[in-house]
Amino acid sequence: MHDLISHPRDLTPQTTWQQTKWAWVGEEELVDHTTKARLCAAALLPFRDGQPDWAGFTASIRWMQTAADHYGVELVTVLNADTGYIFDLDDALYAEVLRRFRAEFPRAKFIAGVTARGAEDDTTFKAERYRPLIDIVQQHENCEVMLMTSRGLNALAPEPRRDAYFQIAEWLIRPGIVHALEPAFVPWATPYEPWLLWQLAQHPKFVGGKISTLDEPHFLYWAAMCRDLGLDFAPHSGDDFGIATAIKLGLPLLIGAAVSGAPLICAAKDMWLLDGVAGKKFPTGTGRFDTRVYKLFEAFQSLEDQVFRLDARMSASAYKHSTAHVLHALGLIASPEAHPACKDLRGDDEAVRMEDALRRPRRVADKLGIPGFR
């Protein structure tokens, strides 16, 4: 049996996670009942009659913020990222989303996702493809820039991939967040090797990273490495199929699920904390955490498993259409209509399916006195 790697100096670009000790750390070893981590919610841009529904956009964000304020949770709105509509918007509408948000929420921090523009016919990776959207985002203050993985960036071997991230970072004047995907999300995706994560975590402009996992627990790998090595780099879970894990570990969530389940997720984050944690809104009076949170975990996960359910292509990309149906059912937006260019759509029965999916979480919300989810 080979010794497991436990120090970064022993990592190489070819080292696999299974060769490190961080791949063998269980969730129970990382549980944290004391840290209040932020919730980064990927906002939906709703549409009505083929045009952006700006009133619905604002209303849904205010709904999330109200829930966060009620439970003392730091909410950071994510724009043009997890919702997937970044790929359907031109630069002008992209910029308009950011302007509208800042006008309505002048003091709120946001995260903006950026990706490569015009790279479809490139035969080599060109970092400058990221520059147009970065420049649009960085016109604003109090924001972070998430470098969404692109096919060209992802195709690079670990060392040139690191160099590409560092080149893009030269243009950052706001904090950066890196982004990795498993192939379960898109077939060309490859998650970071431990060496690459270590390299990116050392960069002073990268404050954290989002890892979207489905088939392998890469979020746990990231959490174990960052905690063990005391890295000043925050792993953000992008796993809408395993929301409770990040709450249990006291780490940030960067997900689209908060757009449809914000009151439930915010309540769970508060319930998971011990009574003695500063800022806990609803103490149990026992000094402990509220064990009813386990049933709340089940309730909101049952909802999001339906919102993010896989289609026949094994893709969950139509979740934003399901999200629109949930927001419509909750009375937050006028129409469940998707972006007119969006091809990732659910069927004609989606309104009924989402009403069914809401039944249990609404019941649990009522029993636990969670406002805003009736």
Side-chain angles (χ1 to χ4, degrees):
M1 180 177 177
H2 297 291
D3 292 335
L4 295 173
I5 292 172
S6 60
H7 196 284
R9 65 170 173 261
D10 298 320
L11 296 173
T12 72
Q14 289 72 44
T15 301
T16 67
W17 281 105
Q18 281 65 37
Q19 293 173 300
T20 74
K21 74 172 187 178
W22 304 299
W24 306 99
V25 177
E27 180 181 282
E28 64 277 5
E29 299 177 60
L30 299 170
V31 164
D32 181 350
H33 285 281
T34 63
T35 301
K36 296 186 70 174
R38 66 184 186 173
L39 174 61
C40 306
L44 180 76
L45 179 61
F47 281 78
R48 186 179 188 185
D49 299 326
Q51 299 297 317
D53 174 12
W54 297 113
F57 175 69
T58 300
S60 62
I61 294 173
R62 290 199 186 283
W63 174 72
M64 292 190 289
Q65 188 62 63
T66 298
D69 291 344
H70 183 76
Y71 288 102
V73 173
E74 179 188 3
L75 179 79
V76 181
T77 305
V78 186
L79 302 170
N80 307 105
D82 247 15
T83 39
Y85 59 72
I86 184 173
F87 303 109
D88 293 323
L89 281 100
D90 59 23
D91 289 0
L93 187 50
Y94 176 93
E96 182 68 11
V97 170
L98 304 186
R99 285 196 297 269
R100 294 268 187 165
F101 177 86
R102 180 51 77 224
E104 292 287 344
F105 307 96
R107 291 181 297 276
K109 178 182 287 185
F110 69 83
I111 296 171
V114 300
T115 190
R117 289 291 211 205
E120 295 80 11
D121 298 323
D122 290 350
T123 56
T124 59
F125 176 74
K126 298 178 181 179
E128 60 268 24
R129 297 296 193 187
Y130 277 81
R131 188 70 186 269
L133 294 184
I134 289 176
D135 288 346
I136 290 172
V137 173
Q138 293 188 150
Q139 295 176 28
H140 301 276
E141 297 182 351
N142 197 23
C143 65
E144 297 172 9
V145 183
M146 185 164 72
L147 306 179
M148 295 174 65
T149 193
S150 61
R151 191 163 191 159
L153 179 58
N154 186 93
L156 299 173
E159 289 176 279
R161 194 174 181 184
R162 174 205 57 189
D163 296 343
Y165 274 109
F166 286 6
Q167 183 180 353
I168 297 169
E170 292 178 6
W171 299 315
L172 293 179
I173 60 173
R174 311 294 183 215
I177 297 176
V178 295
H179 173 226
L181 287 169
E182 283 187 356
F185 287 86
V186 286
W188 47 259
T190 54
Y192 299 157
E193 298 83 2
W195 177 87
L196 181 56
L197 178 61
W198 165 252
Q199 292 286 315
L200 296 178
Q202 303 310 298
H203 198 289
K205 291 188 178 179
F206 296 145
V207 297
K210 173 187 175 181
I211 174 64
S212 298
T213 58
L214 186 60
D215 293 338
E216 191 169 351
H218 282 278
F219 179 62
L220 289 181
Y221 305 163
W222 285 30
M225 173 191 269
C226 292
R227 187 169 299 181
D228 181 47
L229 300 178
L231 300 179
D232 187 19
F233 179 91
H236 291 60
S237 173
D239 184 4
D240 296 278
F241 290 97
I243 302 166
T245 295
I247 297 175
K248 293 176 184 176
L249 272 54
L251 288 172
L253 284 158
L254 201 167
I255 52 174
V259 185
S260 48
L264 310 177
I265 296 171
C266 290
K269 289 172 76 67
D270 188 67
M271 292 170 71
W272 184 253
L273 298 174
L274 299 176
D275 273 0
V277 175
K280 181 177 172 72
K281 287 284 190 173
F282 298 96
T284 65
T286 67
R288 303 292 296 166
F289 71 99
D290 192 334
T291 56
R292 295 178 299 172
V293 72
Y294 292 115
K295 302 310 291 182
L296 182 53
F297 287 158
E298 293 172 2
F300 66 60
Q301 196 60 63
S302 70
L303 167 64
E304 302 306 339
D305 283 349
Q306 287 301 305
V307 172
F308 290 83
R309 70 186 184 275
L310 302 178
D311 62 19
R313 299 173 297 142
M314 297 302 291
S315 171
S317 59
Y319 80 86
K320 52 190 177 293
H321 195 202
S322 299
T323 298
H325 277 282
V326 171
L327 295 181
H328 186 245
L330 293 172
L332 296 167
I333 62 176
S335 169
E337 187 180 329
H339 188 291
C342 180
K343 296 181 175 62
D344 298 313
L345 303 175
R346 299 296 195 189
D348 294 338
D349 64 341
E350 192 63 14
V352 174
R353 294 193 67 155
M354 289 301 99
E355 282 289 353
D356 289 346
L358 282 164
R359 192 168 294 132
R360 186 181 182 207
R362 277 172 162 163
R363 177 186 175 92
V364 172
D366 184 63
K367 285 183 174 295
L368 294 178
I370 298 172
F373 207 84
R374 299 296 195 274

